[in-house]
Amino acid sequence: EDTNGDGIGDTPYQIFANNTDYYPLMHPYILGDINHDGTVNITDTNLFKNSFGTKIGETEWCVSADLNFDGIINAKDAILLSVNYETH
């Protein structure tokens, strides 16, 4: 189950007796798939544009749109989104 829709499961997954994944992905990770539906498409582009130019802590900032994980959503992230466009 993923109650907050961030693509990370809410329940840890036990792989082996002493090996647990505390942050299991709900779907395969595709860089640029901002809404976690399995495809990088126009919906992701629209979500991205709503966050463009924002930084961590700002109202419109979206962790899923920060594709290079540097804390700001900018042209570097836009390039990564475009490279993976139509990937599924």
Side-chain angles (χ1 to χ4, degrees):
E1 189 173 354
D2 180 17
T3 55
N4 65 357
D6 66 357
I8 300 171
D10 301 327
T11 306
Y13 174 76
Q14 187 171 6
I15 301 166
F16 299 111
N18 296 319
N19 190 347
T20 301
D21 182 353
Y22 291 96
Y23 306 99
L25 296 177
M26 298 302 292
H27 306 283
Y29 179 72
I30 302 169
L31 189 65
D33 184 17
I34 296 169
N35 66 347
H36 311 291
D37 69 351
T39 304
V40 181
N41 56 25
I42 193 69
T43 304
D44 300 297
T45 303
N46 286 329
L47 291 169
F48 180 83
K49 80 172 173 65
N50 293 337
S51 305
F52 189 80
T54 62
K55 298 177 184 175
I56 292 176
E58 295 180 358
T59 306
E60 297 299 320
W61 188 79
C62 173
V63 65
S64 299
D66 185 13
L67 302 178
N68 66 348
F69 311 106
D70 66 352
I72 185 168
I73 300 168
N74 57 20
K76 293 177 184 177
D77 301 297
I79 291 167
L80 293 172
L81 179 69
S82 67
V83 166
N84 291 302
Y85 196 79
E86 295 188 351
T87 299
H88 51 285

